[in-house]
Every structure is written in structure tokens, then in C-alpha cells.
């Protein structure tokens, strides 16, 4: 019965997708891009399979998304049944689709080897896939993300705990907290967790994550969680436990700073910031069971990751500037800066990517002038002074070293009085930067 219950984790997901595991074409395919299987990608102790989707056009140093399937599914099925590939065509990022190969096609989120950094189970193979793509396609290590549904959502939690140095953020559809599914009897199914019967303090949940990678003191990935309040497979109380865990890990209050309803039946809460890329975002979906993601949810995930700035021509024909090919050399100078703004009424957030194209750095300061009326209210991954006018952003303890070709991502939240535009120029350690 336990095997049967675990295999049923994705039945409603598969039904909602209305696809079969053998379908290999997205609803709106790129001109020539297709899903390809990759073998020999590195250390793979559990024999996972790897499928890769690379859009026809990519910017230099594209972002990378890992999309992890549900039980009974596969990488190709998750490719066909979700929008992540078609969104990759639009926004210019690469997608890895891992496939579990054990009976039931569920990922290991239960064993001791799965719940530690560089253990001996599925997370190791998935991270090997990531490193293979990072090296082969020169993806931006600071823009590596993971999402998944059901078993894949549980793996999303596990990967963020095991490899906070690899992933910048995660989005889990119908998951459970890191460590909740742990077993000691060799079983891969934890009924108490699945039924929402395991509750812990936020500190205790956070300690489980921190124990997965002893000694790690760097930045922790942001987290987005989704759950239907009628989920009878991985029951709804797990949603609240995930919020407790990741607010603790990221050091923010469990009291939301924003509560809204972006779509009928959705209740969204943000923790630590009201910005689109808040430290923790949670979306509860009323009247829905174990059947996520549904229409429109993938776009919200891509927005949470900060991947929704177009980098390829709009398929409708409205023009955006085509990106450079992956072989285009970087522009002259010692740095390149990407600056993406998400604005509303009187506020905005800015996601800033700094790429060092000069000699290796052991510390850095980024200089820029904010448009008149913009005032910084908070920031992450850097210190900012002053809060308006000519601003200098300086590295924090964990991201000062920038090797040649390496990138780091920082961000800020600000108020504005009408001008939500970008700075016109940037300098890195006093040297003018190209603007991506």
C-alpha cells in the first residue's frame, strides 16, 4: 500500500497536464530546439537520466533551471506537461529535466544519503547535471534555480538544503519541508509526513536544513512554496511547515509583510520583503487538490526567480533586441552589469547581476546614480550607501571574491516618485562597466 500511495503522488498532476510520458514536443516549440538526452554528465550514484532543453537563442551566460518531475513521471513528461520550456524560449534560459529510474519513478528524499551535502543519492546526480551544463554552456552560476511538483517539490526542498552554494532560489509545488520525509527503516514513504502530522518549531526545521551542510556560512536560497488546501496526498499542513522552515533559514519573520490575492482563489503571502523576489513567498490555492502547477503558475515562478526579462524576440513579432550568441566575446572593459527593474505604484525592486570580465577580484564596490526621487529602503547581498543619489554597493563577506568571468547577483528595494528607471552607468572598483 505504501508503494501504491507513493506512486499516486502525481496522478492528478499527470491528468491536469493532459499529456503522456512519451510526448516530446512543447505546445509552442522553438524553430529547431528540442529535448535531448545527455549521458556521461558526471557522478550519478543512483543512475538518474538527464534530458536537456536549450532554446535556439540564448544570451551570454544564460540562467539555468532544473525542473523535477512527480512520482510515476519522467523528465520528458514534465517537459511536455509544464510551461517551463516555452517560457525558456521567451526569456532565454536553459532547462534540465532529471528522471528518476527506481520503481515508481520517485526521487529519494528520505534516506540519510539524500539529506546531506555530497551524499550518495539523487541530489548528487542532479548537481552533476547542473555542473555539466554550467561548464558546457557557460551559464551564470549566480542564476541557477530549481522547481518541481510533488516528489519533485520535495526534491526542490532537499536540493536547497543540501546545496545552498549551487541554487539561488527554488519553487516547490505541493511539497514538504526538508527532512520531513526522512525514514530510518529503508522505506521511501513517510506516512506521518504525507498526512501532515509532523510539526516542528521554525528553529527545529531550520536546524535540519543547516545540518545538511555543516560549516556552510554563505547565502541561502530564496524559496517559493505552493499548495492546494484540499491536497489529500501531501496534506495541506505541510505548507505551513515549509513556511516556518524557510523563514527561519533565511532569517526573516514568520509574519508576512504582504498578503494579497493575485488571482481568484489564490492567497499569496511574502516574508522578509514585499518585493517580487522576496526571501520567502507562499501561495495557497483554495479548493484545489494534488494537481499543481496549473495555468499561470509557471509564469509566477519564473517571475519569482527574476527570469522574466525578455532576452529573445517576442514570438508575437513585437521586437525586443535579440541577444548575442553564446560565442559573442564580452564587451571591452572589466565588468558587465545587468539591471532589471520591477516597479509598482510608488515602489520598485532591482535585480542586479555583476559580471567580472577583468582580473580576479577579492572585493568589489559597484557605483551608480539612482534617478531622482528613488530612495533605497532595503537591499540584499550587498551594503548600500547612501540611500539615494550617487550610491555605492559593496560586497558582503560571502561574495567579495569574483574570479575572471564570474558573476554575482545583488538587489535592492526602493521607493520612487514617478521615475522608476534604471541608472545610466555603472562602475566596478572605479572602472566603467558595460551594460548587459
Amino acid at each position: 500500500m505504501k508503494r501504491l500511495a507513493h506512486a499516486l503522488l502525481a496522478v492528478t498532476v499527470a491528468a491536469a497536464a493532459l499529456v503522456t510520458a512519451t510526448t516530446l514536443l512543447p505546445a509552442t516549440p522553438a524553430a529547431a530546439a528540442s529535448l535531448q538526452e545527455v549521458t556521461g554528465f558526471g557522478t550519478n550514484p543512483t543512475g538518474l537520466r538527464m534530458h536537456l532543453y536549450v532554446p535556439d537563442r540564448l544570451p551570454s551566460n544564460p540562467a539555468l533551471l532544473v525542473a523535477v518531475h512527480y512520482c510515476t513521471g519522467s523528465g520528458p513528461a514534465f517537459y511536455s506537461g509544464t510551461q517551463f520550456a516555452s517560457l525558456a524560449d521567451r526569456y532565454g534560459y536553459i532547462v534540465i529535466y532529471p528522471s528518476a529510474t527506481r520503481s515508481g519513478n520517485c526521487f529519494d528524499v528520505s534516506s540519510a544519503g539524500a539529506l546531506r551535502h555530497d551524499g550518495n543519492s539523487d541530489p548528487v546526480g542532479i548537481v552533476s547535471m547542473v555542473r555539466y551544463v554550467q561548464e558546457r554552456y557557460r551559464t551564470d552560476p549566480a542564476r541557477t534555480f530549481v522547481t518541481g511538483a510533488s516528489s519533485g517539490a520535495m526534491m526542490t526542498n532537499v536540493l536547497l538544503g543540501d546545496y545552498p552554494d549551487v541554487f539561488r532560489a527554488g519553487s516547490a509545488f505541493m511539497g514538504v519541508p526538508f527532512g520531513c520525509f526522512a525514514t530510518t527503516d529503508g522505506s521511501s514513504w513517510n506516512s506521518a509526513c504525507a498526512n501532515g502530522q509532523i510539526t516542528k518549531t521554525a528553529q527545529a526545521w531550520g536546524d535540519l536544513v543547516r545540518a545538511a551542510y555543516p560549516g556552510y556560512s554563505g547565502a541561502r536560497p530564496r524559496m517559493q512554496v505552493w499548495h492546494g488546501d484540499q491536497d489529500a496526498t501531501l496534506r495541506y499542513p505541510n505548507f505551513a511547515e515549509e513556511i516556518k522552515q524557510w523563514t527561519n533559514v533565511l532569517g526573516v519573520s514568520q509574519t508576512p509583510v504582504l498578503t494579497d490575492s493575485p488571482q481568484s482563489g489564490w492567497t499569496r503571502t511574502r516574508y522578509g520583503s514585499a518585493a517580487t523576489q522576496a526571501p520567502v513567498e507562499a501561495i495557497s490555492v483554495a479548493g484545489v487538490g494534488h494537481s499543481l502547477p496549473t495555468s499561470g503558475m509557471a509564469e509566477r515562478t519564473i517571475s519569482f526567480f527574476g527570469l522574466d526579462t525578455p532576452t529573445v524576440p517576442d514570438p508575437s513579432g513585437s521586437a525586443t533586441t535579440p541577444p548575442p550568441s553564446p560565442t559573442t566575446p564580452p564587451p571591452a572593459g572589466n565588468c558587465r552589469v545587468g539591471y532589471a527593474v520591477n516597479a509598482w505604484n510608488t515602489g520598485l525592486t532591482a535585480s542586479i547581476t555583476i559580471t567580472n570580465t577583468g582580473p580576479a577580484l577579492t572585493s568589489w564596490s559597484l557605483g551608480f546614480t539612482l534617478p531622482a526621487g528613488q530612495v533605497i529602503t532595503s537591499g540584499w547581498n550587498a551594503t548600500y550607501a547612501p540611500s539615494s543619489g550617487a550610491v555605492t554597493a559593496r560586497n558582503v563577506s560571502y561574495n567579495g571574491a569574483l574570479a575572471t568571468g564570474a558573476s554575482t547577483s545583488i538587489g535592492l528595494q526602493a521607493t520612487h516618485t514617478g521615475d522608476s528607471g534604471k541608472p545610466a552607468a555603472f562602475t566596478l572598483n572605479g572602472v566603467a562597466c558595460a551594460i548587459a
Side-chain angles (χ1 to χ4, degrees):
M1 291 298 292
K2 291 182 178 179
R3 286 183 178 272
L4 176 60
H6 205 179
L8 287 174
L9 280 174
V11 170
T12 51
V13 178
L18 296 178
V19 296
T20 68
T22 59
T23 304
L24 293 179
L25 293 178
T28 55
S34 62
L35 193 68
Q36 302 291 332
E37 183 162 10
V38 177
T39 59
F41 49 82
T43 305
N44 183 21
T46 52
L48 302 180
R49 295 176 66 185
M50 172 185 177
H51 285 81
L52 186 66
Y53 184 77
V54 182
D56 291 323
R57 299 185 65 82
L58 287 171
S60 299
N61 307 116
L64 175 60
L65 174 65
V66 180
V68 193
H69 67 74
Y70 41 82
C71 280
T72 75
S74 67
F78 206 53
Y79 161 76
S80 301
T82 60
Q83 295 178 291
F84 295 112
S86 60
L87 291 168
D89 292 331
R90 186 187 310 172
Y91 296 124
Y93 58 85
I94 295 173
V95 192
I96 294 171
Y97 294 93
S99 290
T101 56
R102 64 179 53 81
S103 176
N105 290 1
C106 301
F107 289 94
D108 177 14
V109 295
S110 304
S111 74
L115 297 173
R116 69 173 187 267
H117 179 79
D118 288 347
N120 59 0
S121 193
D122 293 350
V124 172
I126 293 173
V127 170
S128 292
M129 299 176 196
V130 168
R131 289 172 174 154
Y132 172 91
V133 174
Q134 287 176 337
E135 180 177 353
R136 184 175 179 85
Y137 293 91
R138 295 188 293 133
T139 63
D140 183 351
R143 299 176 72 222
T144 301
F145 306 94
V146 58
T147 187
S150 194
S151 180
M154 293 193 279
M155 179 53 71
T156 296
N157 279 267
V158 167
L159 286 168
L160 295 195
D162 285 357
Y163 292 97
D165 53 333
V166 172
F167 297 97
R168 181 52 53 101
S171 178
F173 292 90
M174 315 173 302
V176 304
F178 177 98
C180 183
F181 237 67
T183 58
T184 57
D185 60 0
S187 168
S188 60
W189 182 258
N190 186 318
S191 294
C193 179
N195 289 329
Q197 296 168 340
I198 296 180
T199 60
K200 298 180 184 292
T201 64
Q203 181 69 36
W205 280 127
D207 287 345
L208 283 178
V209 170
R210 288 180 285 268
Y213 191 175
Y216 178 76
S217 59
R220 293 283 177 174
R222 297 181 299 108
M223 183 54 138
Q224 180 188 64
V225 294
W226 299 76
H227 226 104
D229 66 2
Q230 300 302 306
D231 194 326
T233 303
L234 295 174
R235 291 186 180 272
Y236 187 63
N238 284 299
F239 177 65
E241 299 303 299
E242 285 179 292
I243 294 170
K244 287 160 62 175
Q245 182 170 68
W246 292 105
T247 52
N248 179 267
V249 168
L250 287 154
V252 298
S253 171
Q254 292 180 57
T255 302
V257 297
L258 176 144
T259 302
D260 66 359
S261 182
Q263 186 167 314
S264 177
W266 296 9
T267 300
R268 177 173 63 187
T269 47
R270 288 176 175 163
Y271 303 83
S273 167
T276 303
Q277 284 90 50
V280 177
E281 179 175 86
I283 303 95
S284 173
V285 188
V288 173
H290 200 68
S291 58
L292 306 181
T294 56
S295 178
M297 293 180 178
E299 291 95 329
R300 298 283 181 173
T301 291
I302 294 307
S303 181
F304 177 75
F305 291 158
L307 296 178
D308 55 347
T309 300
T311 55
V312 295
D314 190 309
S316 69
S318 58
T320 59
T321 302
S325 75
T327 58
T328 301
N334 287 337
C335 46
R336 183 171 64 250
V337 175
Y339 194 99
V341 174
N342 178 50
W344 62 94
N345 304 354
T346 58
L348 63 86
T349 58
S351 298
I352 309 168
T353 302
I354 306 166
T355 302
N356 177 28
T357 58
L361 301 175
T362 57
S363 64
W364 52 263
S365 61
L366 182 73
F368 54 91
T369 299
L370 289 172
Q374 292 188 16
V375 179
I376 297 173
T377 56
S378 63
W380 52 94
N381 295 340
T383 60
Y384 297 85
S387 60
S388 61
V391 175
T392 299
R394 291 183 169 84
N395 68 272
V396 289
S397 60
Y398 52 79
N399 64 359
L402 271 183
T404 301
S407 299
T408 190
S409 293
I410 63 175
L412 60 87
Q413 183 168 347
T415 58
H416 66 84
T417 56
D419 185 349
S420 59
K422 307 175 183 180
F426 301 88
T427 61
L428 187 67
N429 292 357
V431 177
C433 295
I435 299 177

